[in-house]
Amino acid sequence: MLDMTLLWGSGSCPCWRAMIALEEKNLQGYNHKLLSFDKMEHKSQQVLDINPRGQTPSSRHPRDQQNRPFLHWVSLLQSQFQNQGNRLIPDAAEERALMYQRMFEGQSFYEKLNNVIYYDLFVPEEERHASALSRNKEALKAELGLWEAHLQKSPGSFLAGSSFSLADVVVFPTMAYLFRFGLSEGRYPKLGEYYALLKDRPSIKASWPPHWLENPKGHEALKDF
Amino acid sequence: MLDMTLLWGSGSCPCWRAMIALEEKNLQGYNHKLLSFDKMEHKSQQVLDINPRGQTPSSRHPRDQQNRPFLHWVSLLQSQFQNQGNRLIPDAAEERALMYQRMFEGQSFYEKLNNVIYYDLFVPEEERHASALSRNKEALKAELGLWEAHLQKSPGSFLAGSSFSLADVVVFPTMAYLFRFGLSEGRYPKLGEYYALLKDRPSIKASWPPHWLENPKGHEALKDF
């Protein structure tokens, strides 16, 4: 069993990534604590002591008392449990290079999505402008076109080729948000195919956000995209 | 000689990163073309054909007619020229993990800096708010504190430990902007030390933005930070 405690929030993409990675490595049964974002528990001292950015997921090995942000932590997981479960990092140089590239781009994808669906949450009322939101929407549409093309050109069904990798760990939660917020699979067929292929994967099903299970009906913010 | 053409802009951090990496691998003498951002040449068809994001640097190997964004391209460079020049990717698992983590965080650092120094450039006049800019400044200050702490805790003089790595390639240009825009070395001593250590490194000197050489006097936007 893994000697760690994961502090997480339901529906947080960064947390979901960490949980998918743990499932893929067959590292179930770790300690964890579900935090309430509504109660701002992710800014609590317990989290800040571990992660000075006050972000989930936060996890700590009791041994070293050091915060391990996502990628750092996954790399260590990888070296400690290299031959357990899915390798997550392809051996072939070309696929590995593509994986890191897609992970970096995944961050931009995630931010562009948030800038649309959480515009009101991020921007105080007196600073909101219809023109700004509409620019954010155009930026997200352009981004969706790039990912549709990435999948079109991928040599396999996954983002970095023919095997499930860290790129999928990082980007799948963003994809799931798209469809929960009403994106049309008809207009983005490759994204739809990718989502359908991955949503029932055991690691992803096991880590599905609990509040999405309680409330399977999503939102419509991206219906007309 | 490397069979590629680099399209770049003076002072663009992503371009500077690519050029530092090329210098570190002893790959001088490639073809390149300096684009003018003022003339919007980075959105020209020549760039869009290579990079659909319309961003520099754009480079293409004539052989494969495929765009190679930064990380993807560096990884390939790395496998093609692994034993030439600096390795850039540490062999030790712990340093390598730290390197990728810092590279990811470097993206957030870069954006937080841009949100302050280029606020007027990014935000149309009718959407600007003093309250928003002031929030961006607080976010940058918090980020500076994190990097000061990263360097404090680093087991060596570089971001991922005792050797110059891709983390330094990615983050150094952002550091250089800080000091060009007037950041106080007294208030951020570890950042100041890091900047002083790296600014005369041959790969960095050789790729120093030409318009900074022409106009060594910088700006004062970060003087009171």
Side-chain angles (χ1 to χ4, degrees), chain A residues 53 69 71-72 75 97 100-101 104-105 111 126-127 129 131 135 143, chain B residues 53 69 71-72 75 97 100-101 104-105 111 126-127 129 131 135 143:
Chain A
R53 288 184 191 266
L71 192 59
H72 189 187
S75 309
Y100 282 116
Q101 178 59 34
F104 267 79
E105 291 187 63
E111 281 162 17
E126 60 281 9
E127 292 175 13
H129 296 275
S131 50
R135 240 188 356 265
E143 189 74 25
Chain B
R53 288 184 190 266
L71 192 59
H72 189 187
S75 309
Y100 282 117
Q101 178 60 34
F104 268 79
E105 291 187 62
E111 280 161 19
E126 60 281 10
E127 293 175 13
H129 296 274
S131 49
R135 238 186 358 263
E143 188 75 23

PDB file of all heavy atoms in Angstrom, chain A residues 53 69 71-72 75 97 100-101 104-105 111 126-127 129 131 135 143, chain B residues 53 69 71-72 75 97 100-101 104-105 111 126-127 129 131 135 143:
ATOM      1  N   ARG A  53       1.039  26.666  -3.015  1.00  0.00           N
ATOM      2  CA  ARG A  53       0.116  27.269  -3.987  1.00  0.00           C
ATOM      3  C   ARG A  53      -1.341  27.146  -3.525  1.00  0.00           C
ATOM      4  O   ARG A  53      -2.230  27.703  -4.152  1.00  0.00           O
ATOM      5  CB  ARG A  53       0.261  26.612  -5.366  1.00  0.00           C
ATOM      6  CG  ARG A  53       1.565  26.997  -6.075  1.00  0.00           C
ATOM      7  CD  ARG A  53       1.670  26.430  -7.492  1.00  0.00           C
ATOM      8  NE  ARG A  53       3.021  26.631  -7.984  1.00  0.00           N
ATOM      9  CZ  ARG A  53       3.404  27.680  -8.719  1.00  0.00           C
ATOM     10  NH1 ARG A  53       2.548  28.613  -9.067  1.00  0.00           N
ATOM     11  NH2 ARG A  53       4.656  27.793  -9.111  1.00  0.00           N
ATOM     12  N   PRO A  69       4.353  18.272  -6.243  1.00  0.00           N
ATOM     13  CA  PRO A  69       3.361  18.654  -7.247  1.00  0.00           C
ATOM     14  C   PRO A  69       3.246  17.557  -8.310  1.00  0.00           C
ATOM     15  O   PRO A  69       4.128  16.711  -8.443  1.00  0.00           O
ATOM     16  CB  PRO A  69       3.914  19.956  -7.838  1.00  0.00           C
ATOM     17  CG  PRO A  69       4.981  20.390  -6.907  1.00  0.00           C
ATOM     18  CD  PRO A  69       5.494  19.171  -6.226  1.00  0.00           C
ATOM     19  N   LEU A  71       3.526  16.532 -11.544  1.00  0.00           N
ATOM     20  CA  LEU A  71       4.428  15.861 -12.464  1.00  0.00           C
ATOM     21  C   LEU A  71       5.610  15.249 -11.727  1.00  0.00           C
ATOM     22  O   LEU A  71       6.044  14.135 -12.007  1.00  0.00           O
ATOM     23  CB  LEU A  71       4.915  16.867 -13.502  1.00  0.00           C
ATOM     24  CG  LEU A  71       5.621  16.228 -14.666  1.00  0.00           C
ATOM     25  CD1 LEU A  71       4.730  15.244 -15.381  1.00  0.00           C
ATOM     26  CD2 LEU A  71       6.070  17.300 -15.624  1.00  0.00           C
ATOM     27  N   HIS A  72       6.103  16.002 -10.783  1.00  0.00           N
ATOM     28  CA  HIS A  72       7.207  15.554  -9.958  1.00  0.00           C
ATOM     29  C   HIS A  72       6.825  14.247  -9.271  1.00  0.00           C
ATOM     30  O   HIS A  72       7.552  13.255  -9.285  1.00  0.00           O
ATOM     31  CB  HIS A  72       7.496  16.657  -8.922  1.00  0.00           C
ATOM     32  CG  HIS A  72       8.743  16.431  -8.139  1.00  0.00           C
ATOM     33  ND1 HIS A  72       9.103  17.209  -7.078  1.00  0.00           N
ATOM     34  CD2 HIS A  72       9.708  15.518  -8.261  1.00  0.00           C
ATOM     35  CE1 HIS A  72      10.232  16.784  -6.579  1.00  0.00           C
ATOM     36  NE2 HIS A  72      10.627  15.756  -7.283  1.00  0.00           N
ATOM     37  N   SER A  75       6.450  11.303 -11.627  1.00  0.00           N
ATOM     38  CA  SER A  75       7.752  10.769 -12.040  1.00  0.00           C
ATOM     39  C   SER A  75       8.330   9.879 -10.952  1.00  0.00           C
ATOM     40  O   SER A  75       8.921   8.837 -11.222  1.00  0.00           O
ATOM     41  CB  SER A  75       8.742  11.886 -12.330  1.00  0.00           C
ATOM     42  OG  SER A  75       8.184  12.819 -13.197  1.00  0.00           O
ATOM     43  N   ALA A  97       8.196  12.050 -26.717  1.00  0.00           N
ATOM     44  CA  ALA A  97       8.282  13.482 -27.034  1.00  0.00           C
ATOM     45  C   ALA A  97       6.882  14.056 -27.253  1.00  0.00           C
ATOM     46  O   ALA A  97       6.547  15.134 -26.756  1.00  0.00           O
ATOM     47  CB  ALA A  97       9.142  13.682 -28.272  1.00  0.00           C
ATOM     48  N   TYR A 100       4.987  14.520 -23.872  1.00  0.00           N
ATOM     49  CA  TYR A 100       5.312  15.728 -23.099  1.00  0.00           C
ATOM     50  C   TYR A 100       4.733  16.969 -23.781  1.00  0.00           C
ATOM     51  O   TYR A 100       4.230  17.873 -23.127  1.00  0.00           O
ATOM     52  CB  TYR A 100       6.828  15.870 -22.903  1.00  0.00           C
ATOM     53  CG  TYR A 100       7.359  14.951 -21.816  1.00  0.00           C
ATOM     54  CD1 TYR A 100       8.261  13.938 -22.103  1.00  0.00           C
ATOM     55  CD2 TYR A 100       6.933  15.107 -20.495  1.00  0.00           C
ATOM     56  CE1 TYR A 100       8.737  13.088 -21.096  1.00  0.00           C
ATOM     57  CE2 TYR A 100       7.399  14.271 -19.490  1.00  0.00           C
ATOM     58  CZ  TYR A 100       8.303  13.258 -19.792  1.00  0.00           C
ATOM     59  OH  TYR A 100       8.755  12.434 -18.801  1.00  0.00           O
ATOM     60  N   GLN A 101       4.802  17.001 -25.094  1.00  0.00           N
ATOM     61  CA  GLN A 101       4.240  18.134 -25.815  1.00  0.00           C
ATOM     62  C   GLN A 101       2.744  18.270 -25.525  1.00  0.00           C
ATOM     63  O   GLN A 101       2.250  19.350 -25.209  1.00  0.00           O
ATOM     64  CB  GLN A 101       4.493  17.958 -27.317  1.00  0.00           C
ATOM     65  CG  GLN A 101       3.905  19.073 -28.166  1.00  0.00           C
ATOM     66  CD  GLN A 101       4.457  20.438 -27.784  1.00  0.00           C
ATOM     67  OE1 GLN A 101       5.619  20.575 -27.403  1.00  0.00           O
ATOM     68  NE2 GLN A 101       3.620  21.467 -27.856  1.00  0.00           N
ATOM     69  N   PHE A 104       1.983  19.594 -22.052  1.00  0.00           N
ATOM     70  CA  PHE A 104       2.139  21.055 -21.944  1.00  0.00           C
ATOM     71  C   PHE A 104       0.952  21.769 -22.574  1.00  0.00           C
ATOM     72  O   PHE A 104       0.385  22.689 -22.006  1.00  0.00           O
ATOM     73  CB  PHE A 104       3.429  21.522 -22.642  1.00  0.00           C
ATOM     74  CG  PHE A 104       4.588  21.588 -21.699  1.00  0.00           C
ATOM     75  CD1 PHE A 104       5.263  20.438 -21.335  1.00  0.00           C
ATOM     76  CD2 PHE A 104       4.996  22.802 -21.156  1.00  0.00           C
ATOM     77  CE1 PHE A 104       6.328  20.492 -20.452  1.00  0.00           C
ATOM     78  CE2 PHE A 104       6.067  22.864 -20.275  1.00  0.00           C
ATOM     79  CZ  PHE A 104       6.730  21.709 -19.919  1.00  0.00           C
ATOM     80  N   GLU A 105       0.586  21.321 -23.762  1.00  0.00           N
ATOM     81  CA  GLU A 105      -0.557  21.948 -24.434  1.00  0.00           C
ATOM     82  C   GLU A 105      -1.833  21.739 -23.641  1.00  0.00           C
ATOM     83  O   GLU A 105      -2.758  22.548 -23.696  1.00  0.00           O
ATOM     84  CB  GLU A 105      -0.733  21.360 -25.834  1.00  0.00           C
ATOM     85  CG  GLU A 105       0.362  21.734 -26.789  1.00  0.00           C
ATOM     86  CD  GLU A 105       0.012  21.252 -28.183  1.00  0.00           C
ATOM     87  OE1 GLU A 105      -0.996  21.705 -28.759  1.00  0.00           O
ATOM     88  OE2 GLU A 105       0.752  20.388 -28.710  1.00  0.00           O
ATOM     89  N   GLU A 111      -6.875  25.804 -19.299  1.00  0.00           N
ATOM     90  CA  GLU A 111      -7.105  27.212 -18.945  1.00  0.00           C
ATOM     91  C   GLU A 111      -8.130  27.862 -19.867  1.00  0.00           C
ATOM     92  O   GLU A 111      -8.959  28.643 -19.426  1.00  0.00           O
ATOM     93  CB  GLU A 111      -5.787  27.994 -18.981  1.00  0.00           C
ATOM     94  CG  GLU A 111      -4.999  27.733 -17.708  1.00  0.00           C
ATOM     95  CD  GLU A 111      -3.528  28.092 -17.820  1.00  0.00           C
ATOM     96  OE1 GLU A 111      -3.162  28.847 -18.758  1.00  0.00           O
ATOM     97  OE2 GLU A 111      -2.741  27.598 -16.991  1.00  0.00           O
ATOM     98  N   GLU A 126     -17.897  43.543 -11.470  1.00  0.00           N
ATOM     99  CA  GLU A 126     -17.672  44.885 -12.034  1.00  0.00           C
ATOM    100  C   GLU A 126     -16.580  44.893 -13.107  1.00  0.00           C
ATOM    101  O   GLU A 126     -16.350  45.909 -13.759  1.00  0.00           O
ATOM    102  CB  GLU A 126     -17.369  45.891 -10.911  1.00  0.00           C
ATOM    103  CG  GLU A 126     -16.144  45.597 -10.054  1.00  0.00           C
ATOM    104  CD  GLU A 126     -16.369  44.521  -8.978  1.00  0.00           C
ATOM    105  OE1 GLU A 126     -17.432  43.861  -8.975  1.00  0.00           O
ATOM    106  OE2 GLU A 126     -15.453  44.331  -8.148  1.00  0.00           O
ATOM    107  N   GLU A 127     -15.910  43.751 -13.291  1.00  0.00           N
ATOM    108  CA  GLU A 127     -14.863  43.691 -14.318  1.00  0.00           C
ATOM    109  C   GLU A 127     -15.284  42.839 -15.526  1.00  0.00           C
ATOM    110  O   GLU A 127     -14.478  42.607 -16.424  1.00  0.00           O
ATOM    111  CB  GLU A 127     -13.576  43.096 -13.725  1.00  0.00           C
ATOM    112  CG  GLU A 127     -12.908  43.983 -12.693  1.00  0.00           C
ATOM    113  CD  GLU A 127     -11.702  43.282 -12.049  1.00  0.00           C
ATOM    114  OE1 GLU A 127     -11.255  42.246 -12.569  1.00  0.00           O
ATOM    115  OE2 GLU A 127     -11.220  43.789 -11.020  1.00  0.00           O
ATOM    116  N   HIS A 129     -16.973  41.699 -19.023  1.00  0.00           N
ATOM    117  CA  HIS A 129     -17.323  42.342 -20.293  1.00  0.00           C
ATOM    118  C   HIS A 129     -17.755  41.262 -21.268  1.00  0.00           C
ATOM    119  O   HIS A 129     -17.049  40.257 -21.423  1.00  0.00           O
ATOM    120  CB  HIS A 129     -16.111  43.072 -20.884  1.00  0.00           C
ATOM    121  CG  HIS A 129     -15.629  44.210 -20.042  1.00  0.00           C
ATOM    122  ND1 HIS A 129     -16.172  45.468 -20.121  1.00  0.00           N
ATOM    123  CD2 HIS A 129     -14.684  44.263 -19.080  1.00  0.00           C
ATOM    124  CE1 HIS A 129     -15.560  46.259 -19.243  1.00  0.00           C
ATOM    125  NE2 HIS A 129     -14.658  45.546 -18.593  1.00  0.00           N
ATOM    126  N   SER A 131     -17.570  41.366 -24.350  1.00  0.00           N
ATOM    127  CA  SER A 131     -16.533  41.265 -25.387  1.00  0.00           C
ATOM    128  C   SER A 131     -15.401  40.336 -24.952  1.00  0.00           C
ATOM    129  O   SER A 131     -14.846  39.588 -25.760  1.00  0.00           O
ATOM    130  CB  SER A 131     -15.985  42.653 -25.716  1.00  0.00           C
ATOM    131  OG  SER A 131     -15.619  43.330 -24.510  1.00  0.00           O
ATOM    132  N   ARG A 135     -14.351  36.768 -26.610  1.00  0.00           N
ATOM    133  CA  ARG A 135     -12.981  36.446 -27.042  1.00  0.00           C
ATOM    134  C   ARG A 135     -12.510  35.119 -26.449  1.00  0.00           C
ATOM    135  O   ARG A 135     -11.879  34.310 -27.120  1.00  0.00           O
ATOM    136  CB  ARG A 135     -12.033  37.570 -26.641  1.00  0.00           C
ATOM    137  CG  ARG A 135     -11.332  38.206 -27.806  1.00  0.00           C
ATOM    138  CD  ARG A 135     -10.242  39.210 -27.458  1.00  0.00           C
ATOM    139  NE  ARG A 135     -10.069  39.488 -26.065  1.00  0.00           N
ATOM    140  CZ  ARG A 135     -10.630  40.514 -25.421  1.00  0.00           C
ATOM    141  NH1 ARG A 135     -11.413  41.366 -26.065  1.00  0.00           N
ATOM    142  NH2 ARG A 135     -10.400  40.704 -24.142  1.00  0.00           N
ATOM    143  N   GLU A 143      -8.920  26.301 -29.919  1.00  0.00           N
ATOM    144  CA  GLU A 143      -8.226  25.229 -29.205  1.00  0.00           C
ATOM    145  C   GLU A 143      -8.882  23.875 -29.502  1.00  0.00           C
ATOM    146  O   GLU A 143      -8.185  22.881 -29.745  1.00  0.00           O
ATOM    147  CB  GLU A 143      -8.273  25.545 -27.707  1.00  0.00           C
ATOM    148  CG  GLU A 143      -7.425  24.651 -26.834  1.00  0.00           C
ATOM    149  CD  GLU A 143      -5.918  24.921 -26.936  1.00  0.00           C
ATOM    150  OE1 GLU A 143      -5.522  26.049 -27.283  1.00  0.00           O
ATOM    151  OE2 GLU A 143      -5.152  23.970 -26.662  1.00  0.00           O
TER     152      GLU A 143
ATOM    153  N   ARG B  53      -0.860  27.393 -34.373  1.00  0.00           N
ATOM    154  CA  ARG B  53      -1.116  28.355 -33.307  1.00  0.00           C
ATOM    155  C   ARG B  53      -0.616  29.759 -33.679  1.00  0.00           C
ATOM    156  O   ARG B  53      -0.860  30.704 -32.932  1.00  0.00           O
ATOM    157  CB  ARG B  53      -0.446  27.914 -31.991  1.00  0.00           C
ATOM    158  CG  ARG B  53      -1.128  26.725 -31.342  1.00  0.00           C
ATOM    159  CD  ARG B  53      -0.527  26.340 -30.007  1.00  0.00           C
ATOM    160  NE  ARG B  53      -1.073  25.066 -29.578  1.00  0.00           N
ATOM    161  CZ  ARG B  53      -2.127  24.919 -28.774  1.00  0.00           C
ATOM    162  NH1 ARG B  53      -2.745  25.974 -28.298  1.00  0.00           N
ATOM    163  NH2 ARG B  53      -2.566  23.722 -28.442  1.00  0.00           N
ATOM    164  N   PRO B  69       6.428  21.619 -32.115  1.00  0.00           N
ATOM    165  CA  PRO B  69       6.421  22.580 -31.015  1.00  0.00           C
ATOM    166  C   PRO B  69       7.572  22.300 -30.049  1.00  0.00           C
ATOM    167  O   PRO B  69       8.154  21.212 -30.073  1.00  0.00           O
ATOM    168  CB  PRO B  69       5.067  22.346 -30.344  1.00  0.00           C
ATOM    169  CG  PRO B  69       4.276  21.542 -31.304  1.00  0.00           C
ATOM    170  CD  PRO B  69       5.240  20.775 -32.132  1.00  0.00           C
ATOM    171  N   LEU B  71       8.690  21.469 -26.945  1.00  0.00           N
ATOM    172  CA  LEU B  71       9.134  20.338 -26.140  1.00  0.00           C
ATOM    173  C   LEU B  71       9.336  19.101 -26.999  1.00  0.00           C
ATOM    174  O   LEU B  71      10.303  18.353 -26.852  1.00  0.00           O
ATOM    175  CB  LEU B  71       8.109  20.056 -25.050  1.00  0.00           C
ATOM    176  CG  LEU B  71       8.605  19.107 -23.991  1.00  0.00           C
ATOM    177  CD1 LEU B  71       9.843  19.642 -23.311  1.00  0.00           C
ATOM    178  CD2 LEU B  71       7.510  18.901 -22.978  1.00  0.00           C
ATOM    179  N   HIS B  72       8.403  18.926 -27.914  1.00  0.00           N
ATOM    180  CA  HIS B  72       8.468  17.808 -28.843  1.00  0.00           C
ATOM    181  C   HIS B  72       9.781  17.871 -29.615  1.00  0.00           C
ATOM    182  O   HIS B  72      10.536  16.909 -29.718  1.00  0.00           O
ATOM    183  CB  HIS B  72       7.275  17.926 -29.795  1.00  0.00           C
ATOM    184  CG  HIS B  72       7.092  16.738 -30.678  1.00  0.00           C
ATOM    185  ND1 HIS B  72       6.186  16.701 -31.683  1.00  0.00           N
ATOM    186  CD2 HIS B  72       7.724  15.550 -30.690  1.00  0.00           C
ATOM    187  CE1 HIS B  72       6.258  15.537 -32.290  1.00  0.00           C
ATOM    188  NE2 HIS B  72       7.172  14.818 -31.715  1.00  0.00           N
ATOM    189  N   SER B  75      12.867  17.216 -27.479  1.00  0.00           N
ATOM    190  CA  SER B  75      13.033  15.793 -27.193  1.00  0.00           C
ATOM    191  C   SER B  75      13.648  15.087 -28.400  1.00  0.00           C
ATOM    192  O   SER B  75      14.490  14.200 -28.250  1.00  0.00           O
ATOM    193  CB  SER B  75      11.702  15.134 -26.882  1.00  0.00           C
ATOM    194  OG  SER B  75      11.016  15.837 -25.903  1.00  0.00           O
ATOM    195  N   ALA B  97      12.636  14.428 -12.537  1.00  0.00           N
ATOM    196  CA  ALA B  97      11.267  14.717 -12.109  1.00  0.00           C
ATOM    197  C   ALA B  97      11.125  16.195 -11.741  1.00  0.00           C
ATOM    198  O   ALA B  97      10.167  16.862 -12.129  1.00  0.00           O
ATOM    199  CB  ALA B  97      10.908  13.834 -10.917  1.00  0.00           C
ATOM    200  N   TYR B 100      11.005  18.427 -14.930  1.00  0.00           N
ATOM    201  CA  TYR B 100       9.705  18.525 -15.614  1.00  0.00           C
ATOM    202  C   TYR B 100       8.729  19.364 -14.797  1.00  0.00           C
ATOM    203  O   TYR B 100       7.971  20.163 -15.340  1.00  0.00           O
ATOM    204  CB  TYR B 100       9.135  17.133 -15.900  1.00  0.00           C
ATOM    205  CG  TYR B 100       9.803  16.467 -17.097  1.00  0.00           C
ATOM    206  CD1 TYR B 100      10.531  15.299 -16.967  1.00  0.00           C
ATOM    207  CD2 TYR B 100       9.689  17.042 -18.365  1.00  0.00           C
ATOM    208  CE1 TYR B 100      11.144  14.705 -18.069  1.00  0.00           C
ATOM    209  CE2 TYR B 100      10.300  16.454 -19.462  1.00  0.00           C
ATOM    210  CZ  TYR B 100      11.027  15.286 -19.318  1.00  0.00           C
ATOM    211  OH  TYR B 100      11.624  14.709 -20.408  1.00  0.00           O
ATOM    212  N   GLN B 101       8.762  19.185 -13.487  1.00  0.00           N
ATOM    213  CA  GLN B 101       7.876  19.971 -12.640  1.00  0.00           C
ATOM    214  C   GLN B 101       8.150  21.464 -12.815  1.00  0.00           C
ATOM    215  O   GLN B 101       7.238  22.272 -13.004  1.00  0.00           O
ATOM    216  CB  GLN B 101       8.064  19.547 -11.174  1.00  0.00           C
ATOM    217  CG  GLN B 101       7.222  20.345 -10.201  1.00  0.00           C
ATOM    218  CD  GLN B 101       5.737  20.223 -10.488  1.00  0.00           C
ATOM    219  OE1 GLN B 101       5.259  19.183 -10.932  1.00  0.00           O
ATOM    220  NE2 GLN B 101       4.995  21.299 -10.273  1.00  0.00           N
ATOM    221  N   PHE B 104       6.874  22.859 -16.116  1.00  0.00           N
ATOM    222  CA  PHE B 104       5.425  23.127 -16.102  1.00  0.00           C
ATOM    223  C   PHE B 104       5.132  24.405 -15.339  1.00  0.00           C
ATOM    224  O   PHE B 104       4.381  25.260 -15.798  1.00  0.00           O
ATOM    225  CB  PHE B 104       4.663  21.959 -15.456  1.00  0.00           C
ATOM    226  CG  PHE B 104       4.212  20.955 -16.455  1.00  0.00           C
ATOM    227  CD1 PHE B 104       5.093  20.025 -16.961  1.00  0.00           C
ATOM    228  CD2 PHE B 104       2.898  20.944 -16.921  1.00  0.00           C
ATOM    229  CE1 PHE B 104       4.691  19.095 -17.902  1.00  0.00           C
ATOM    230  CE2 PHE B 104       2.488  20.018 -17.855  1.00  0.00           C
ATOM    231  CZ  PHE B 104       3.385  19.086 -18.352  1.00  0.00           C
ATOM    232  N   GLU B 105       5.743  24.537 -14.172  1.00  0.00           N
ATOM    233  CA  GLU B 105       5.501  25.738 -13.374  1.00  0.00           C
ATOM    234  C   GLU B 105       6.017  26.980 -14.097  1.00  0.00           C
ATOM    235  O   GLU B 105       5.510  28.072 -13.909  1.00  0.00           O
ATOM    236  CB  GLU B 105       6.199  25.626 -12.020  1.00  0.00           C
ATOM    237  CG  GLU B 105       5.595  24.591 -11.115  1.00  0.00           C
ATOM    238  CD  GLU B 105       6.231  24.672  -9.729  1.00  0.00           C
ATOM    239  OE1 GLU B 105       6.113  25.713  -9.064  1.00  0.00           O
ATOM    240  OE2 GLU B 105       6.868  23.676  -9.325  1.00  0.00           O
ATOM    241  N   GLU B 111       3.258  33.317 -17.727  1.00  0.00           N
ATOM    242  CA  GLU B 111       1.955  33.953 -17.946  1.00  0.00           C
ATOM    243  C   GLU B 111       1.679  35.027 -16.901  1.00  0.00           C
ATOM    244  O   GLU B 111       1.128  36.080 -17.220  1.00  0.00           O
ATOM    245  CB  GLU B 111       0.840  32.905 -17.932  1.00  0.00           C
ATOM    246  CG  GLU B 111       0.778  32.193 -19.274  1.00  0.00           C
ATOM    247  CD  GLU B 111       0.040  30.872 -19.221  1.00  0.00           C
ATOM    248  OE1 GLU B 111      -0.728  30.651 -18.261  1.00  0.00           O
ATOM    249  OE2 GLU B 111       0.241  30.055 -20.146  1.00  0.00           O
ATOM    250  N   GLU B 126     -11.128  49.433 -23.240  1.00  0.00           N
ATOM    251  CA  GLU B 126     -12.440  49.533 -22.581  1.00  0.00           C
ATOM    252  C   GLU B 126     -12.692  48.395 -21.584  1.00  0.00           C
ATOM    253  O   GLU B 126     -13.681  48.413 -20.863  1.00  0.00           O
ATOM    254  CB  GLU B 126     -13.565  49.620 -23.624  1.00  0.00           C
ATOM    255  CG  GLU B 126     -13.687  48.444 -24.577  1.00  0.00           C
ATOM    256  CD  GLU B 126     -12.665  48.461 -25.738  1.00  0.00           C
ATOM    257  OE1 GLU B 126     -11.726  49.299 -25.717  1.00  0.00           O
ATOM    258  OE2 GLU B 126     -12.807  47.615 -26.643  1.00  0.00           O
ATOM    259  N   GLU B 127     -11.779  47.435 -21.547  1.00  0.00           N
ATOM    260  CA  GLU B 127     -11.954  46.327 -20.588  1.00  0.00           C
ATOM    261  C   GLU B 127     -10.942  46.383 -19.432  1.00  0.00           C
ATOM    262  O   GLU B 127     -10.879  45.470 -18.626  1.00  0.00           O
ATOM    263  CB  GLU B 127     -11.785  44.978 -21.300  1.00  0.00           C
ATOM    264  CG  GLU B 127     -12.879  44.668 -22.299  1.00  0.00           C
ATOM    265  CD  GLU B 127     -12.607  43.379 -23.078  1.00  0.00           C
ATOM    266  OE1 GLU B 127     -11.712  42.606 -22.681  1.00  0.00           O
ATOM    267  OE2 GLU B 127     -13.290  43.159 -24.097  1.00  0.00           O
ATOM    268  N   HIS B 129      -9.146  47.393 -15.934  1.00  0.00           N
ATOM    269  CA  HIS B 129      -9.580  47.783 -14.592  1.00  0.00           C
ATOM    270  C   HIS B 129      -8.354  47.822 -13.694  1.00  0.00           C
ATOM    271  O   HIS B 129      -7.577  46.862 -13.674  1.00  0.00           O
ATOM    272  CB  HIS B 129     -10.578  46.774 -14.031  1.00  0.00           C
ATOM    273  CG  HIS B 129     -11.855  46.705 -14.807  1.00  0.00           C
ATOM    274  ND1 HIS B 129     -12.913  47.552 -14.581  1.00  0.00           N
ATOM    275  CD2 HIS B 129     -12.221  45.901 -15.826  1.00  0.00           C
ATOM    276  CE1 HIS B 129     -13.891  47.270 -15.425  1.00  0.00           C
ATOM    277  NE2 HIS B 129     -13.489  46.263 -16.203  1.00  0.00           N
ATOM    278  N   SER B 131      -8.322  47.400 -10.643  1.00  0.00           N
ATOM    279  CA  SER B 131      -8.448  46.293  -9.689  1.00  0.00           C
ATOM    280  C   SER B 131      -7.905  44.987 -10.286  1.00  0.00           C
ATOM    281  O   SER B 131      -7.298  44.176  -9.584  1.00  0.00           O
ATOM    282  CB  SER B 131      -9.908  46.112  -9.281  1.00  0.00           C
ATOM    283  OG  SER B 131     -10.736  46.069 -10.440  1.00  0.00           O
ATOM    284  N   ARG B 135      -4.658  42.856  -8.995  1.00  0.00           N
ATOM    285  CA  ARG B 135      -4.709  41.416  -8.683  1.00  0.00           C
ATOM    286  C   ARG B 135      -3.609  40.662  -9.418  1.00  0.00           C
ATOM    287  O   ARG B 135      -2.965  39.768  -8.869  1.00  0.00           O
ATOM    288  CB  ARG B 135      -6.075  40.849  -9.057  1.00  0.00           C
ATOM    289  CG  ARG B 135      -6.794  40.225  -7.908  1.00  0.00           C
ATOM    290  CD  ARG B 135      -8.079  39.517  -8.249  1.00  0.00           C
ATOM    291  NE  ARG B 135      -8.489  39.567  -9.616  1.00  0.00           N
ATOM    292  CZ  ARG B 135      -9.380  40.435 -10.107  1.00  0.00           C
ATOM    293  NH1 ARG B 135      -9.943  41.341  -9.340  1.00  0.00           N
ATOM    294  NH2 ARG B 135      -9.696  40.393 -11.386  1.00  0.00           N
ATOM    295  N   GLU B 143       4.038  34.476  -6.978  1.00  0.00           N
ATOM    296  CA  GLU B 143       4.825  33.574  -7.830  1.00  0.00           C
ATOM    297  C   GLU B 143       6.325  33.805  -7.609  1.00  0.00           C
ATOM    298  O   GLU B 143       7.099  32.852  -7.504  1.00  0.00           O
ATOM    299  CB  GLU B 143       4.441  33.829  -9.308  1.00  0.00           C
ATOM    300  CG  GLU B 143       5.008  32.855 -10.299  1.00  0.00           C
ATOM    301  CD  GLU B 143       4.329  31.486 -10.290  1.00  0.00           C
ATOM    302  OE1 GLU B 143       3.172  31.375  -9.865  1.00  0.00           O
ATOM    303  OE2 GLU B 143       4.996  30.520 -10.712  1.00  0.00           O
TER     304      GLU B 143
END
